[in-house]
Amino acid sequence: MNKRVDCFIAYSSKAETLTTIAQLRQYGLVNNIFVIAPDNIAVEGTETLVTNNPNSSLNILNIIENVEADYALIALRSTQLELSQYAIERMVLLADSTNASMVYSDYYEVKNELRSSHPVIDYQEGSLRDDFNFGPVQFYRKNVLESVDQELNINWKFAGYYALRLQAARAGEIIRIPEFLFSMIETDTRKSGEKQFDYVSANAREKQIEMEEACTDHLKKIGAFLKPDFKEVDFSGDFPVEASVIIPVRDRAKTIKDAVDSVLSQKTLFDFNLIVVDNYSTDGTTEILASYSDNRLITVTPERKDLGIGGCWNEALDHEMCGKFAVQLDSDDLYYDENTLQKIVDQFYIDQCAMVIGSYQMCNFNLEEIPPGLIDHKEWTPNNGPNNALRINGLGAPRAFFKPILKALRVPNTSYGEDYAVGIAISREYKIGRIYDPIYRCRRWEDNSDASLDVAKMNAHNLYKDRLRTFELKARILKNQA
């Protein structure tokens, strides 16, 4: 059979859609072309699959019913596509030779009329984020589509395609082709820091619930689902103080005083201190810290010069004055009010937990609230939080830990994802307490480490967190097999 590919493309504009169709028709391997569009749109010369939700279960089932060829090219982004030389032949060749359940590729993006390379990252077991970037085109083997579970929830308006992708991961290997086989027009030109919190916006709640259901089902089927069966935490022991706030810092002269003052102004029923690990600042941060005479402030300069944020945390945990609970504060940020530290410590005892995660308010440098406002991670539920933690890309802030458990784990010596690494590891064994009221002010400004990341840096961050999830998946499967 020469015509081995059926194509399913989302409608953009009439001109753009017709341009994409014309390119696809030039390939002898292409069999049928379907346009996925709302019910008031039809494109001459093609069959229209009507839907207002391209990622819905009903649309996915409709695609499956219409696949005749060996493969289905699925492009659900509403954008014009440009195919590179022999792109379809290349995907068929590599899908045939690897027996992959799905293949995808790097691509070019056109943004503000400028064309640039957009490599993607390799898929792995831990690539469970529902926003994993496969590029504009995914290429599925027909028998994988036909094996989609009959349990697919037909009421899902958003999670149908995500469930399909997870099914493909269970059915075989998902393979990236590190070649630029497609181009697409990128209409979302926001900076990385502006996109980061889309998933917690108010209108995303229904979508998040569906995605959690699909991911939970996947974890159950691969043996990685955790039941809420937590180890007890023994808070006994001798500690110099009840709580230590830990601030790793390098070159934050603009913000470190605000951060320190927000800690020293805390009103508590217990003794606490503040351990600032000054990682060889050169901009005046060191001098600002030295100007304080409050004996609750302990400044540490590590002997090592190869430490990231995680390594600085380990320095603080090893300090003789570190207390029972180690509480996070970034050098850019502030506590919401003078009661934050008391609320965090109280939550440990209320929940008998090994870790507490709060909620934070997004604000600009002048502490004025900015969208999306409160980040409360309500997708975390007591029963399913440890499972859903493997789908989302962060757990919230501020984070606080029962020191003996965190010290036994050790914090990865990185400056990104180190908190997520220990959080998901703790959630495998212990309960994590949550505070859904705002207790933290998270500043967004030009010097934030994730304010405006290029593609290479975003890929590195995502690859690392996916690897952390892969480690954790394997650990949970082993735990369930024991």
Side-chain angles (χ1 to χ4, degrees):
M1 180 180 179
N2 291 325
K3 295 187 177 296
R4 304 188 60 197
V5 183
D6 287 323
C7 301
F8 301 84
I9 62 171
Y11 181 86
S12 49
S13 70
K14 183 175 181 179
E16 290 176 342
T17 305
L18 288 173
T19 299
T20 299
I21 291 170
Q23 291 184 72
L24 291 170
R25 291 204 186 283
Q26 294 176 10
Y27 287 86
L29 288 168
V30 170
N31 183 37
N32 295 317
I33 299 174
F34 297 85
V35 175
I36 300 168
D39 58 9
N40 60 340
I41 292 174
V43 180
E44 294 180 5
T46 68
E47 186 170 343
T48 302
L49 301 185
V50 176
T51 182
N52 290 314
N53 299 297
N55 293 294
S56 69
S57 295
L58 288 177
N59 185 53
I60 299 308
L61 292 173
N62 204 2
I63 288 174
I64 293 169
E65 289 175 1
N66 283 280
V67 175
E68 297 176 348
D70 297 334
Y71 296 104
L73 181 155
I74 299 178
L76 297 183
R77 294 192 187 185
S78 181
T79 181
Q80 180 179 322
L81 291 177
E82 179 182 334
L83 281 69
S84 300
Q85 184 186 55
Y86 298 118
I88 302 293
E89 286 89 344
R90 186 65 172 153
M91 297 192 93
V92 170
L93 174 67
L94 292 175
D96 278 349
S97 60
T98 62
N99 198 36
S101 60
M102 188 260 273
V103 297
Y104 63 104
S105 76
D106 296 346
Y107 64 102
Y108 294 110
E109 65 179 5
V110 180
K111 186 182 296 185
N112 298 326
E113 299 186 353
L114 296 176
R115 177 186 171 103
S116 59
S117 301
H118 195 127
V120 290
I121 61 176
D122 290 328
Y123 193 89
Q124 53 184 301
E125 290 176 77
S127 299
L128 295 178
R129 291 174 292 114
D130 51 76
D131 62 352
F132 186 94
N133 184 11
F134 291 101
V137 169
Q138 296 85 58
F139 202 72
Y140 283 88
R141 184 177 294 277
K142 179 184 180 182
N143 61 0
V144 172
L145 295 172
E146 292 175 335
S147 68
V148 169
D149 292 343
Q150 297 302 311
E151 302 167 7
L152 183 65
N153 189 328
I154 62 171
N155 295 315
W156 283 339
K157 294 188 289 187
F158 308 100
Y161 185 76
Y162 177 53
L164 168 62
R165 182 252 285 187
L166 295 176
Q167 167 68 23
R170 295 194 298 273
E173 190 174 6
I174 295 178
I175 292 179
R176 167 186 166 233
I177 304 172
E179 302 164 13
F180 298 92
L181 298 185
F182 301 92
S183 297
M184 61 168 277
I185 297 174
E186 178 57 77
T187 56
D188 189 348
T189 59
R190 294 175 299 161
K191 295 179 180 179
S192 60
E194 296 171 330
K195 299 177 184 178
Q196 185 177 356
F197 302 101
D198 285 354
Y199 72 101
V200 292
S201 63
N203 59 6
R205 183 68 186 131
E206 183 181 2
K207 176 181 177 181
Q208 289 301 306
I209 292 171
E210 289 187 11
M211 296 297 186
E212 177 178 357
E213 291 173 353
C215 185
T216 301
D217 178 65
H218 173 70
L219 294 176
K220 289 178 178 178
K221 288 172 178 172
I222 65 173
F225 174 78
L226 290 182
K227 297 179 181 179
D229 182 20
F230 304 114
K231 290 182 179 177
E232 292 187 1
V233 181
D234 181 3
F235 289 138
S236 63
D238 295 325
F239 301 91
V241 291
E242 182 76 354
S244 292
V245 176
I246 296 174
I247 304 179
V249 64
R250 176 185 286 168
D251 294 342
R252 281 293 186 267
K254 291 182 180 180
T255 59
I256 189 61
K257 186 177 188 304
D258 289 342
V260 169
D261 288 347
S262 79
V263 176
L264 298 181
S265 66
Q266 293 297 299
K267 294 184 177 180
T268 64
L269 300 175
F270 50 79
D271 292 333
F272 70 91
N273 59 29
L274 166 61
I275 302 176
V276 178
V277 183
D278 184 5
N279 200 9
Y280 294 94
S281 296
T282 60
D283 70 339
T285 296
T286 303
E287 290 73 19
I288 292 171
L289 292 169
S291 69
Y292 283 85
S293 58
D294 194 317
N295 60 11
R296 293 175 297 173
L297 171 59
I298 302 166
T299 302
V300 177
T301 301
E303 292 185 7
R304 304 185 65 102
K305 295 187 176 182
D306 62 348
L307 298 183
I309 292 173
C312 290
W313 262 82
N314 290 327
E315 292 286 313
L317 294 169
D318 288 338
H319 196 280
E320 62 182 3
M321 291 303 295
C322 189
K324 178 186 294 186
F325 301 113
V327 186
Q328 169 253 345
L329 178 62
D330 287 349
S331 57
D332 299 283
D333 303 331
L334 302 87
Y335 288 145
Y336 193 79
D337 58 30
E338 62 191 13
N339 301 309
T340 290
L341 195 54
Q342 183 70 54
K343 289 178 181 177
I344 291 171
V345 170
D346 287 347
Q347 201 67 42
F348 275 104
Y349 292 105
I350 291 170
D351 284 333
Q352 289 293 299
C353 57
M355 180 178 178
V356 168
I357 304 173
S359 300
Y360 57 96
Q361 178 196 63
M362 299 294 300
C363 58
N364 61 21
F365 188 83
N366 296 320
L367 303 182
E368 298 164 331
E369 183 172 318
I370 60 174
L374 177 65
I375 308 295
D376 54 14
H377 284 279
K378 285 187 177 177
E379 72 277 358
W380 184 287
T381 59
N383 287 339
N384 206 42
N387 297 300
N388 203 28
L390 295 184
R391 181 184 63 86
I392 58 179
N393 228 18
L395 300 182
R399 299 164 291 275
F401 309 88
F402 180 44
K403 185 187 76 171
I405 289 175
L406 181 60
K407 191 171 179 179
L409 282 174
R410 291 301 181 188
V411 185
N413 183 26
T414 67
S415 291
Y416 175 80
E418 74 290 335
D419 51 337
Y420 183 70
V422 293
I424 57 176
I426 288 172
S427 73
R428 187 193 328 149
E429 304 287 349
Y430 299 97
K431 185 176 182 180
I432 293 181
R434 302 294 313 220
I435 299 174
Y436 295 107
D437 296 323
I439 58 172
Y440 194 84
R441 298 186 192 274
C442 181
R443 274 176 164 162
R444 306 300 291 179
W445 61 303
E446 64 273 10
D447 284 357
N448 282 141
S449 59
D450 57 357
S452 182
L453 301 178
D454 59 24
V455 171
K457 182 63 74 172
M458 284 191 295
N459 281 347
H461 284 182
N462 286 329
L463 189 66
Y464 178 58
K465 279 197 171 176
D466 283 358
R467 178 55 60 184
L468 293 175
R469 281 183 278 267
T470 297
F471 294 153
E472 186 60 26
L473 271 180
K474 293 180 181 297
R476 294 181 181 197
I477 290 171
L478 288 174
K479 172 183 170 67
N480 289 335
Q481 291 174 345

